[in-house]
């Protein structure tokens, strides 16, 4: 696309320097709220640019890995302070670039600051255990070694939090990083890397190369000097990355899609369930892997839940992500909008009943962006695409059931297993749900989205590579255990 004369061009960050790609080509990012607003441009890099970044990370890894956790923590604390001081600016950039509302963008940037501080704290926590040896004269214990160079491939839907929740643990446990942010949100990603650069990390410890997924992302996955890859994004790309890394004996971690259910039991607090369904399903325009997309309601409360839900959905204000009155912004891109609209058409064609929404929003300022109405279907059955496939948009599918058992059976009858909620006041139902729900995040009387940085995060079934990120669980991916025997 053409770059407007006043558009800032963001460079790659390699070996402590901001550099132009040898391609001399850039990619311009426009706001999905208003396509006339060009947010900035990033480098359309080549494999040669990537080679340089990986070489820099490889040569920096020994020295960085030999620092104490406390020394590494100082850099993370500095990056956190810088990000905090730029919170307003970076959140505004995120809201413009990928269409999340400004309030949510500020919340996510503050979460990035908190994650950096949390992992800085990890620098002083234990890394191993003393294990009794059968030899009375020996000392046996575990310690941990960093993987080396970690490739970080991130999506556009959390352009601050995800790059940080992957890079911060990688760094504190002694790895060096080459990050490839999602192209659609790479200007925001570059601003996050500016915070790391300004914190004075030694050259080569953190590097960023922007460009196409098939070139830079795949290049990271294929490179023999990249010891581990951590990825969040679609199942299609995730599986491909997993296979590439496995084929060369590297380590990989994949966080992918979800088709997250909420069960509303007959004894639920209905107002709570309605509010949580709306927040979990429609905030961020439904573009979260943890977003609620299936709402399974017991028949005796179905009508009252449905009426209250529709009444609240009708009140949702859709608009430009920068405006205070906006509750829901646009889809992040034209492609994403088209995907959402095509799922809505599929829902109608497959016989689901459209209760509200279903259309692209047009007229006035809407014509300059990728806006879609919040949409609710009923009469959805499990064979329908809208009950099985990740839509990544503001679309809720209502399903009526006669019992918790039937609800759980429907809830588990998908290939995904990321997040799930139940609304009930009955302890037995809560416990049954906690035991029987096939999901990595199981939530009771709380929305399906929203994870806490100090707790493990990841899915079952096709939602992840079965590892966990965040909290102290992150150490399992970013390090290898060494069992030491001393006599
Ligand atoms: N689980 C989650 O949180 C997310 C799920 N999704 C799901 O994926 C769908 C498509 O979104 P999309 O952005 O295209 O997701 P992708 O999986 O295509 O992108 C995620 C990241 O992978 C990169 N990538 C793309 N192709 C390759 C490749 N061949 N090798 C290595 N890396 C690659 C992307 O780069 P680039 O941006 O340059 O293409 C981006 O950095 C969404 O509709 C949604 O259903 C999307 C984002 C997040
Ligand atoms: O729900 C959240 O806060 C995290 C969601 C997430 O990780 C994702 O959508 O990729």
């Amino acid at each position: 696309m053409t770059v407007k004369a006043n558009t800032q061009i963001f460079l790659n960050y390699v070996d402590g320097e901001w550099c132009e790609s040898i391609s001399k080509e850039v990619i311009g990012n426009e706001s999905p709220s208003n396509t006339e607003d060009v947010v900035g441009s990033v480098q359309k890099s080549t494999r040669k640019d990537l080679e340089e970044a990986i070489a820099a990370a490889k040569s920096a890894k020994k020295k960085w890995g030999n620092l104490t956790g406390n020394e590494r923590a100082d850099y993370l604390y500095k990056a956190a302070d810088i990000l905090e001081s730029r919170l307003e600016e970076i959140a505004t950039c995120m809201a413009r670039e990928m269409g999340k509302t400004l309030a949510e963008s500020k919340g996510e940037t503050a979460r990035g600051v908190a994650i950096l501080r949390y992992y800085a704290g990890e620098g002083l926590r234990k890394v191993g255990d003393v294990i009794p040896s059968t030899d009375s004269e020996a000392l046996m214990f575990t310690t941990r070694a960093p993987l080396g160079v970690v490739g970080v491939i991130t999506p556009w839907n959390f352009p601050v939090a995800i790059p940080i929740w992957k890079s911060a643990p990688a760094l504190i446990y002694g790895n060096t990083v080459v990050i490839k942010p999602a192209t659609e949100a790479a200007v925001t990603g570059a601003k996050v890397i500016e915070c790391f650069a300004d914190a004075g990390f030694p050259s080569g410890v953190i590097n960023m190369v922007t460009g196409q997924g098939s070139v830079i992302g795949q290049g990271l996955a294929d490179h023999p000097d990249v010891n581990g890859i951590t990825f969040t994004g679609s199942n299609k790309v995730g599986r491909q990355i997993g296979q590439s890394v496995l084929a060369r004996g590297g380590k990989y971690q994949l966080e992918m899609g979800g088709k997250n259910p909420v069960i509303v039991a007959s004894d639920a607090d209905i107002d709570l369930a309605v509010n949580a369904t709306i927040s979990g399903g429609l905030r961020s325009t439904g573009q979260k892997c943890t977003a609620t997309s299936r709402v399974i309601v017991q028949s005796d409360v179905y009508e009252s839940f449905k009426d209250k839900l529709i009444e609240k959905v009708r009140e949702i204000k859709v608009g430009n992500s920068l405006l205070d009155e906006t509750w829901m912004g646009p889809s992040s891109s034209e492609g994403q909008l088209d995907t959402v609209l095509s799922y809505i058409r599929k829902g109608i064609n497959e016989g689901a009943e459209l209760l509200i929404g279903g259309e692209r929003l047009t007229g006035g300022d809407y014509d300059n962006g990728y806006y879609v109405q919040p949409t609710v279907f009923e009469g959805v059955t499990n064979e329908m695409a809208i009950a099985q496939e990740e839509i990544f948009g503001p679309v809720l599918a209502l399903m009526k059931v006669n019992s918790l058992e039937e609800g759980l059976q429907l809830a588990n009858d998908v290939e995904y297993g990321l997040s799930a909620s139940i609304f009930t006041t009955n302890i037995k139902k809560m416990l049954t749900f906690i035991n029987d729900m096939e999901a990595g995040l199981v939530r009771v009387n709380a929305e399906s989205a929203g994870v806490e940085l100090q707790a493990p995060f990841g899915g079952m079934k096709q939602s992840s590579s079965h590892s966990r990120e965040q909290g102290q669980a992150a150490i399992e991916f970013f390090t290898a255990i060494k069992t030491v025997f001393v006599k």
Side-chain angles (χ1 to χ4, degrees), residues 111 155 157-158 162 165 232 287-290 392 449-451 457:
R111 180 169 160 190
N157 63 334
F158 283 86
I162 295 182
W165 87 47
T232 299
Q287 300 170 138
K288 295 183 188 178
C289 56
T290 49
F392 236 54
V451 300
F457 172 57

Side-chain angles (χ1 to χ4, degrees), residues 386-429:
I386 59 168
Q388 291 293 329
E389 296 171 24
E390 184 175 53
I391 301 175
F392 236 54
V395 181
L396 295 170
L398 298 190
M399 301 160 108
K400 197 193 293 187
V401 291
N402 291 319
S403 65
L404 176 62
E405 291 63 39
E406 191 191 343
L408 264 165
Q409 195 272 327
L410 276 187
N412 281 327
D413 184 22
V414 286
E415 63 172 347
Y416 296 108
L418 186 54
S419 178
S421 298
I422 190 168
F423 288 83
T424 178
T425 48
N426 179 303
I427 186 83
K428 194 160 174 284
K429 286 184 183 172

Side-chain angles (χ1 to χ4, degrees), residues 154-157 180 183 211 213 217-218 231 233-234 256 289 336 390:
T154 56
W156 44 263
N157 63 334
K180 184 236 147 342
T183 302
Q218 191 61 45
F231 165 88
S234 64
M256 303 174 287
C289 56
Q336 202 58 45
E390 184 175 53

Side-chain angles (χ1 to χ4, degrees), residues 334-355:
E334 192 169 15
Q336 202 58 45
L337 174 70
D338 289 345
T339 304
V340 174
L341 292 172
S342 84
Y343 273 110
I344 293 171
R345 278 193 301 275
K346 267 188 206 166
I348 294 167
N349 292 340
E350 288 181 340
E353 190 180 333
L354 186 61
L355 292 175

Side-chain angles (χ1 to χ4, degrees), residues 232-247:
T232 299
S234 64
N235 279 59
K236 181 168 164 265
V237 172
R239 278 182 201 173
Q240 196 175 313
I241 288 176
Q243 280 164 3
S244 304
V245 183
L246 178 70

Side-chain angles (χ1 to χ4, degrees), residues 158-208:
F158 283 86
V160 169
I162 295 182
I164 291 178
W165 87 47
K166 291 179 181 297
S167 301
L171 293 167
I172 197 68
Y173 299 130
N175 303 281
T176 55
V177 165
V178 179
I179 179 165
K180 184 236 147 342
T183 302
E184 264 174 66
V187 171
T188 309
K191 284 177 182 264
V192 171
I193 299 305
E194 285 175 353
C195 298
F196 284 92
D198 293 347
F201 278 79
S203 299
V205 168
I206 181 153
N207 307 272
M208 180 197 68

Side-chain angles (χ1 to χ4, degrees), residues 31-33 87-88 90-109 157-159 282-288 316-332 371:
S31 172
S33 288
L87 190 146
E88 192 81 28
I90 291 179
T92 304
C93 178
M94 182 193 320
R96 282 171 70 203
E97 194 175 31
M98 59 71 66
K100 190 174 285 195
T101 63
L102 190 53
E104 286 180 90
S105 300
K106 284 183 190 170
E108 182 184 333
T109 310
N157 63 334
F158 283 86
L282 307 178
R283 273 195 198 279
S284 284
T285 323
Q287 300 170 138
K288 295 183 188 178
I316 288 176
K317 181 93 187 76
V318 182
N320 188 309
S321 55
L322 293 175
L323 298 176
D324 280 347
E325 67 264 26
T326 295
W327 190 90
M328 193 179 99
S331 290
S332 71
Y371 298 95

